[in-house]
Amino acid sequence: MNSPILSLHRPWWQRAADFLLAALARWREERALRREIAAAREMDESTLRDIGAPQWLIEEARQQREQARFDRELQRVRADPASPRYW
């Protein structure tokens, strides 16, 4: 009975290629996760709460909304020459 020969050694170039492919797959997964989190940060707090997002993400959305409101108010004050300047 002839049994097939099972090679236990892989050439170095094949191991290197497997390592690079695995690293590329991990990088793509991390990039997709970062894009999903960035998209979730664009939502408002009530939507995030409704879909069951973690509390840290809801807080980041609230802080981002408050920062945008502050920036708009600051731009309004800077554009109005009659307003008192506070910087």
Side-chain angles (χ1 to χ4, degrees):
M1 177 174 182
N2 290 338
S3 60
I5 297 175
L6 180 62
S7 176
L8 299 178
H9 175 72
R10 291 184 343 191
W12 68 268
W13 57 267
Q14 192 176 24
R15 290 192 310 258
D18 290 344
F19 176 78
L20 290 174
L21 290 174
L24 181 63
R26 280 192 309 272
W27 177 76
R28 285 181 176 166
E29 289 174 5
E30 290 172 2
R31 193 176 88 183
L33 180 62
R34 284 193 305 267
R35 270 189 276 152
E36 290 172 3
I37 290 175
R41 284 185 178 133
E42 297 293 322
M43 297 179 188
D44 64 342
E45 306 96 274
S46 60
T47 304
L48 290 171
R49 200 172 296 112
D50 288 345
I51 63 174
Q55 189 62 34
W56 64 267
L57 190 57
I58 295 171
E59 282 299 313
E60 281 188 12
R62 183 187 60 77
Q63 290 173 356
Q64 185 177 5
R65 180 180 48 82
E66 288 178 359
Q67 182 67 39
R69 182 183 299 150
F70 178 76
D71 289 342
R72 283 191 309 269
E73 181 66 20
L74 187 60
Q75 291 298 325
R76 185 188 65 78
V77 168
R78 284 182 178 170
D80 185 11
S83 67
R85 300 187 183 257
Y86 53 87
W87 64 84

